[in-house]
Amino acid sequence: MANRDGVRIDLDSIFHELEANGFDEVRVEFAPDDGGGAAAVVDVVRQAVGTANDVANQVAPDSIWGSLLTASLAGFSVRLGSMESEEALDAWLAAFRGRVRAGGLSGELRATKTVRLPAWDSPDPMMTAYIALGALSALDRAGMSGWAERAVRWAAEAGGDAYVGSCGMSQLDATSEVAVHLASMLHVASSGAVLYTDALASRAAMAEIGSDGQAMYQTHDASAPLAAQADRARAAILAEAEYAHYAFVAPTPRQAYLWDARGRALPPLREEIPAYALRMHADLWNRFVPDAHCMQLLTDEHLAQVSDLSRWTVTHVTAGRTLVEAPDLAEWLRPGGPSPSIVDQARADFGRALVPADDVR
């Protein structure tokens, strides 16, 4: 361990992780002595990554690159990849250290303590609530903190251990500040996820959001049928109803990383709507729905285009938001999905609210 101008570099931990990763890549963490939450600190660290990349590649071109900056439990973590030489690594660390010191920061530079998520995934369909919240760039720190608090509160009901992550990095969070850490990830990386899982009970809940504000809330409970798990999906939607401009529920096989995962759910999407369109056309979902689903949160603009909801359970939730549910959720959630006649009738009921195929081509 070296102490250089107030930045302590733990080379042993970095080389240990490099060795464990086959000398291919390593996640390096900067833990500021005075905490890492302030916007000015984030800016300095972001600039330090850019400076270190430039300097290291002048020393040894195309030899090392820092990317995927995010918040960690103790500060900030950046992935160092394209590792070609120890000389390049030394140059990167020295340049990063110099830039954060010039920005008035001190702290420790070391390997990030990351974990592999436990095997909570299941080949069986899991209830997934897809909720559109709008781009994270439009949220201030309070808005990000609010989402993180609601997401953690919802996911924690599954019990077990808490994990937070973004940018391909996951950490076990045994603190009482899971929501704070998740909010920091949103602020630094514009994405984040929280997972609570109880391996002994075969139960888990995950909430994840991307920079476009498309969020997913997914539950797995080996002891409960899908119809019973629908209550948890509904709870996620209701918790976000004040902030969301659209939401729907579908039983998705395996973990859902993006809204594209809806393409694996039953019933199949309309033939003219490719699964990637749900992600690529996020701007459309405050006016249209991609397909009929067993449970949807709709705006007044959606409702103005719907043909007939007399066969549906309709509940006003909050100003401008209405929850629309199929009266027989079990029919929609049975193995193999609902019958074609049920789906055809549902699509007829939603009528002009269904997105025109030309709008997603």
Side-chain angles (χ1 to χ4, degrees):
M1 174 112 36
N3 190 321
R4 306 177 185 178
D5 299 325
V7 175
R8 306 171 297 281
I9 302 178
D10 187 349
L11 286 172
D12 289 342
S13 73
I14 294 172
F15 276 107
H16 181 271
E17 283 301 307
L18 262 176
E19 182 179 12
N21 294 333
F23 295 95
D24 181 39
E25 65 177 55
V26 63
R27 268 204 166 269
V28 173
E29 175 181 69
F30 176 63
D33 289 333
D34 297 327
V41 176
V42 178
D43 289 342
V44 169
V45 172
R46 201 180 302 280
Q47 292 165 15
V49 171
T51 297
N53 284 343
D54 292 341
V55 170
N57 281 277
Q58 290 173 6
V59 172
D62 301 320
S63 61
I64 190 171
W65 194 258
S67 62
L68 300 177
L69 176 68
T70 187
S72 64
L73 299 187
F76 306 89
S77 177
V78 60
R79 174 187 174 273
L80 298 185
S82 303
M83 201 79 61
E84 294 292 338
S85 69
E86 186 174 330
E87 178 188 22
L89 175 61
D90 287 342
W92 197 98
L93 294 173
F96 183 93
R97 179 198 65 220
R99 182 64 187 86
V100 296
R101 283 298 296 144
L105 303 180
S106 63
E108 185 173 53
L109 191 55
R110 63 201 182 199
T112 313
K113 292 182 179 178
T114 62
V115 298
R116 289 184 179 274
L117 293 179
W120 70 276
D121 204 353
S122 168
D124 300 322
M126 295 182 286
M127 288 305 301
T128 308
Y130 298 80
I131 304 180
L133 294 163
L136 287 186
S137 59
L139 295 180
D140 56 15
R141 288 296 293 266
M144 293 182 187
S145 295
W147 181 83
E149 290 167 3
R150 295 190 301 275
V152 168
R153 189 161 52 244
W154 176 84
E157 290 190 20
D161 296 322
Y163 300 84
V164 292
S166 69
C167 297
M169 178 197 77
S170 297
Q171 294 189 287
L172 173 65
D173 194 339
T175 75
S176 60
E177 298 188 319
V178 179
V180 172
H181 295 145
L182 180 58
S184 294
M185 290 177 172
L186 301 185
H187 179 59
V188 176
S190 296
S191 67
V194 59
L195 168 70
Y196 278 81
T197 182
D198 186 339
L200 294 179
S202 297
R203 186 170 58 242
M206 181 273 292
E208 183 172 10
I209 194 168
S211 60
D212 57 6
Q214 289 192 333
M216 291 158 294
Y217 304 71
Q218 193 162 28
T219 60
H220 165 58
D221 189 340
S223 66
L226 283 178
Q229 294 181 56
D231 291 341
R232 295 282 287 129
R234 184 185 299 104
I237 290 175
L238 293 178
E240 298 297 331
E242 182 180 349
Y243 315 95
H245 57 257
Y246 176 55
F248 68 92
V249 170
T252 309
R254 301 191 178 278
Q255 184 176 353
Y257 291 101
L258 296 168
W259 276 32
D260 300 40
R262 169 60 183 87
R264 304 196 307 269
L266 293 174
L269 275 169
R270 297 156 57 202
E271 291 184 4
E272 61 269 34
I273 307 298
Y276 68 79
L278 276 72
R279 171 176 47 87
M280 295 296 293
H281 295 280
D283 59 308
L284 293 176
W285 309 134
N286 62 338
R287 308 190 308 277
F288 297 105
V289 303
D291 206 345
H293 293 92
C294 64
M295 189 186 303
Q296 298 193 106
L297 182 75
L298 305 180
T299 64
D300 290 344
E301 193 166 357
H302 291 126
L303 291 175
Q305 303 183 83
V306 169
S307 296
D308 181 9
L309 291 181
S310 62
R311 282 173 284 268
W312 297 77
T313 300
V314 179
T315 306
H316 175 74
V317 176
T318 188
R321 300 296 183 270
T322 299
L323 185 65
V324 177
E325 301 178 76
D328 187 0
L329 287 176
E331 167 63 25
W332 281 79
L333 302 177
R334 66 183 179 84
S339 67
S341 62
I342 291 287
V343 177
D344 289 345
Q345 181 61 65
R347 289 170 177 165
D349 290 344
F350 279 90
R352 292 185 299 109
L354 296 177
V355 68
D358 288 345
D359 286 7
V360 296
R361 288 175 183 158

